[in-house]
Amino acid sequence: MSNTIIVGLQWGDEGKGKIVDYLTERSDVVARAQGGSNAGHTVISGGTKYILHLIPSGILWPEKKCVIGNGVVIDPLGLLKEMEKLRSQGVHISPENLLISEHAHLTMPYHCSLDKAREARRGVNAIGTTGRGIGPTYADKIERQGLRVTDLRDPDKLTHEITWRAALHNQELESAGFEKVNVEEVVAQIVAAAELLRPHIANTVVYLNEALAEGKMVLFEGAQGSYLDIDHGTYPFVTSSNTTAGGACTGSGVSPRKIDKVIGVAKAYTTRVGGGPFVTENEAISDMLHNMGREYGATTGRARRCGWLDAVLLNYAVMVNGCDEIAITNLDGLDGLDEIKICRAYLLDGKEINHPPATIPELERCEPVYETHQGWKQDLSGLTNAADLPPLAKTYLNRLAELAGARVSLLGIGPAREQTLVVD
Ligand code: GDP
Ligand code: IMO
Ligand code: MG
């Protein structure tokens, strides 16, 4: 195994958690480098379903080390709840196997309130955020007024640092007609949380680089997807971090020169949760998948919008991330279809284009140019070898790889760890 970045190639929920869990066996350290508890990564192992928000999916492997890197925004209360839930499911978590970057910024209760207030202010243009305080936390970071994990070390100073920030943000909440946070309550909650999290705090930049120097293998677990990237996504319907491969380096303090491989993860179709343009959105596909009990969000429980595979997006994301390989998940979601479509280009104002345009009005005017493939009409979920895939499934995957511009190396044919096939 080499030092590998795992990134989502669509709008998140591509199945990154499952792929990271699968690849953890051959890694030593698993690191998150961006995003926060907006992420919801579902992993099914040994028949148990685990949902990870802030903690890397590698935590399910007892002997592996996990790092929450400097680029992540950490909600201390949410993190403690997540630790508690995982522990109740039998997962071992200690300062030995979970390190939290002292440089990471903290999401505070007032960030979550601000997230909701700012969404309300946007009205019909609401982004459809997860309400986890992500945008306001990154805004404070960039404004250079954020609180960081290292601030949890000194309770007296922490009280002062929280108090003035909470008072400042309460002004905005009040003027927006939203309930102010109770400053004393917030201080009490965070000071108590700091006590529990302190043993996990470390300089994870040094930790990761020393691990690499010792020849350990690091897996970088991306959160969200390329089209939620603050620079490369469908702005402003995006999240507030760099979800693409570069974000793994800045968000962990590991040089790009130490990265051996980038694996992009995509579903065999497309989904999106929240607002924003979606060229291949299709009601029939949404209904079909929802009727199968699939495509409900792991963080908010919202029904995901669904549509055909969009190879225009896939190809561009493979370029931006420099993917060496792609992992296609949820291939089994297409098992019952007579015909399967792939969007190979967009028609914008009568002209065929191959890259997504920059603006929302243009994206909304794009019409998908589809090619139609015959469905394989076979239950793939029990397969154990990619060589046994029906020929029509192989044709679909070969064409997908050709359009995406990268080879398919892994396939998901069900949610469980063992429902992962290696493609030679
Ligand atoms: P992530 O955020 O990228 O980790 O993805 P999520 O876990 O939010 O969403 C992916 C969903 O698809 C979850 O419910 C997974 O359990 C499920 N899943 C992942 N891979 C496969 C697959 O190959 N087949 C099926 N049926 N489900 C899958
Ligand atoms: P994982 O890691 C899918 C979406 C939200 C919203 C937009 C901004 O599970 O793939 P935010 O709360 O980040 O300010 O919301 O981004 N979003 C996700 N969609 N999967 C995710 O993470 C997401 N994280 C954020 O729905 O449209
Ligand atoms: Mg998810």
Side-chain angles (χ1 to χ4, degrees):
M1 185 73 186
S2 40
N3 298 312
T4 303
I5 297 175
I6 304 296
V7 280
L9 298 179
Q10 296 161 323
W11 278 292
D13 300 330
E14 295 91 348
K16 299 175 293 293
K18 186 193 140 166
I19 296 296
V20 167
D21 171 64
Y22 179 80
L23 294 174
T24 298
E25 187 171 13
R26 285 175 283 145
S27 310
D28 300 295
V29 184
V30 183
R32 274 278 304 274
Q34 46 69 229
S37 45
N38 49 349
H41 300 172
T42 311
V43 177
I44 297 178
S45 154
T48 305
K49 179 171 167 171
Y50 304 91
I51 297 183
L52 293 311
H53 297 287
L54 276 164
I55 300 176
S57 302
I59 202 76
L60 303 180
W61 294 81
E63 69 282 16
K64 309 294 179 177
K65 308 292 182 200
C66 288
V67 166
I68 304 181
N70 55 277
V72 177
V73 290
I74 300 175
D75 168 358
L77 308 178
L79 177 57
L80 285 172
K81 263 196 217 138
E82 191 176 334
M83 288 163 87
E84 201 180 313
K85 169 78 183 163
L86 288 170
R87 283 181 177 135
S88 78
Q89 293 184 292
V91 178
H92 169 72
I93 304 176
S94 75
E96 288 302 304
N97 70 341
L98 179 66
L99 298 182
I100 304 170
S101 167
E102 58 189 3
H103 296 99
H105 278 247
L106 291 169
T107 295
M108 305 295 285
Y110 48 77
H111 288 128
C112 299
S113 303
L114 286 173
D115 192 356
K116 288 165 195 139
R118 291 176 188 176
E119 274 287 83
R121 191 190 60 207
R122 291 185 191 107
V124 291
N125 296 317
I127 294 163
T129 71
T130 58
R132 298 295 191 270
I134 305 301
T137 309
Y138 278 115
D140 269 358
K141 172 178 174 175
I142 300 300
E143 180 57 19
R144 295 150 297 180
Q145 62 179 16
L147 263 180
R148 297 188 301 166
V149 167
T150 187
D151 296 315
L152 297 176
R153 285 179 163 135
D154 179 345
D156 294 332
K157 192 160 171 281
L158 182 61
T159 301
H160 166 73
E161 297 296 343
I162 295 172
T163 304
W164 73 258
R165 288 175 173 85
L168 176 77
H169 289 309
N170 267 342
Q171 290 172 15
E172 178 179 339
L173 288 171
E174 192 174 27
S175 69
F178 272 72
E179 199 182 329
K180 294 192 285 184
V181 296
N182 178 325
V183 182
E184 276 156 30
E185 198 177 287
V186 171
V187 168
Q189 284 175 328
I190 302 299
V191 167
E195 206 59 46
L196 298 170
L197 292 177
R198 215 166 285 139
H200 296 268
I201 302 175
N203 184 328
T204 55
V205 175
V206 172
Y207 178 83
L208 287 170
N209 281 285
E210 284 183 355
L212 288 165
E214 286 167 21
K216 301 247 167 70
M217 295 300 166
V218 180
L219 191 59
F220 297 86
E221 175 175 356
Q224 291 79 52
S226 299
Y227 292 96
L228 291 172
D229 185 285
I230 187 75
D231 285 277
H232 303 290
T234 49
Y235 189 91
F237 296 94
V238 293
T239 190
S240 301
S241 64
N242 282 115
T243 61
T244 43
C249 294
T250 50
S252 65
V254 171
S255 162
R257 296 183 56 178
K258 301 272 164 55
I259 306 297
D260 302 305
K261 194 191 267 190
V262 179
I263 302 179
V265 185
K267 278 180 179 145
Y269 45 92
T270 311
T271 65
R272 166 163 218 173
V273 58
F278 185 168
V279 176
T280 62
E281 187 166 18
N282 182 291
E283 213 176 292
I285 298 295
S286 285
D287 289 348
M288 177 192 82
L289 292 164
H290 293 148
N291 287 337
M292 290 159 83
R294 298 163 70 132
E295 301 310 342
Y296 290 92
T299 298
T300 58
R302 290 178 288 179
R304 296 178 185 139
R305 301 156 63 192
C306 306
W308 296 114
L309 186 80
D310 186 335
V312 176
L313 295 186
L314 216 51
N315 180 277
Y316 193 81
V318 163
M319 175 180 74
V320 169
N321 291 294
C323 294
D324 300 283
E325 299 169 8
I326 45 183
I328 295 295
T329 68
N330 287 272
L331 186 64
D332 54 303
L334 304 177
D335 283 355
L337 292 170
D338 294 321
E339 286 188 336
I340 301 169
K341 292 186 181 183
I342 303 181
C343 170
R344 61 159 186 82
Y346 293 164
L347 209 57
L348 175 61
D349 303 332
K351 198 169 155 244
E352 203 169 294
I353 56 170
N354 297 104
H355 299 307
T359 69
I360 301 300
E362 285 172 305
L363 273 164
E364 282 173 347
R365 290 206 305 283
C366 281
E367 287 170 38
V369 179
Y370 285 123
E371 57 183 43
T372 303
H373 294 255
Q374 201 185 326
W376 46 89
K377 301 277 279 177
Q378 185 182 320
D379 178 2
L380 300 184
S381 62
L383 285 188
T384 52
N385 195 330
D388 299 332
L389 282 167
L392 287 170
K394 286 183 183 163
T395 306
Y396 178 74
L397 289 167
N398 287 340
R399 178 63 176 147
L400 179 163
E402 184 181 27
L403 289 166
R407 80 177 190 95
V408 175
S409 61
L410 289 171
L411 272 185
I413 47 158
R417 187 183 280 171
E418 51 283 0
Q419 288 174 304
T420 312
L421 305 179
V422 177
V423 184
D424 294 323

